[in-house]
Amino acid sequence: MKILITGATGFIGSTIAQALHESGHEIVVLTRNVDAAKKKIPFLAEAYFWDWKKGAPPLEAFQGVDGIINLAGQNIASSRWNDSLKKEIFDSRVYGTKNLVSTIKELSMKPKFFIQASAIGFYGHRDSETLHETSPHGNGFLA
C-alpha cells in the first residue's frame, strides 16, 4: 500500500513510518522541511512541503495513496507552555486537520482509510486504570 503520513518526522511518526516500510508499504510524507524528512526517513518514496498555516496540502501528494495517517501537530515538549504555545498546539491540530480533510474531499479517488492521532493526554493520568474509547476525558489542557 501507499501510505501518506503527516508528522512522520516526530517520535511516533518516524517509528510508524519505519514499521510500515519494513512491512513493504510505500511511504509518502507531508512535511514543513522536506530535506530534514529525507534525512530522517531515507526510505521515503516521496516528500512534499506542507505548512498547515498556509492552507491545504498539495493535491499531487495524494496521487495513488491508499491511506492517510495524520500525526501532525506542534511538539508539546518543545518548550514551556504559555498562552501563545498552547494556541499553536491547539491550532496546529484543529486547523491542520481541517486543511488536510478539505483536500481529501477534493480527491476523485478517496483513500481507503484515515487515521488521526493527536493527543497523548486525552484521558489524563489514570495510574493503572484500563481505558477504552468510551472512557471519559481527563482534565487540563491536553485533555
Side-chain angles (χ1 to χ4, degrees), residues 5-138:
I5 304 175
T6 69
T9 59
F11 177 70
I12 294 171
S14 60
T15 302
I16 289 172
Q18 180 71 40
L20 289 170
H21 170 71
E22 289 173 1
S23 297
H25 300 287
E26 188 177 350
I27 306 301
V28 176
V29 300
L30 291 173
T31 180
R32 289 176 292 175
N33 190 329
V34 171
D35 291 335
K38 287 179 179 179
K39 286 178 185 169
K40 186 164 188 169
I41 310 168
F43 52 80
L44 286 178
E46 301 166 71
Y48 295 90
F49 176 80
W50 177 50
D51 183 342
W52 67 269
K53 292 179 186 177
K54 296 180 179 176
L59 279 171
E60 60 269 17
F62 296 84
Q63 292 295 99
V65 166
D66 297 297
I68 298 169
I69 300 173
N70 182 25
L71 306 171
Q74 172 64 37
N75 183 341
I76 63 169
S78 62
S79 62
R80 258 183 107 82
W81 291 359
N82 56 33
D83 290 342
S84 175
L85 181 58
K86 286 165 74 172
K87 180 176 178 4
E88 182 80 7
I89 290 168
F90 180 86
D91 288 352
S92 68
R93 285 158 175 79
V94 173
Y95 298 111
T97 301
K98 284 182 179 182
N99 288 339
L100 186 60
V101 169
S102 72
T103 299
I104 294 168
K105 287 179 178 180
E106 293 179 36
L107 300 174
S108 57
M109 294 292 294
K110 307 286 191 257
K112 295 175 183 137
F113 64 87
F114 179 87
I115 297 171
Q116 167 77 30
S118 66
I120 61 168
F122 179 78
Y123 296 107
H125 181 66
R126 304 280 185 91
D127 292 317
S128 60
E129 179 183 347
T130 300
L131 300 169
H132 306 278
E133 288 184 4
T134 57
S135 299
H137 66 78

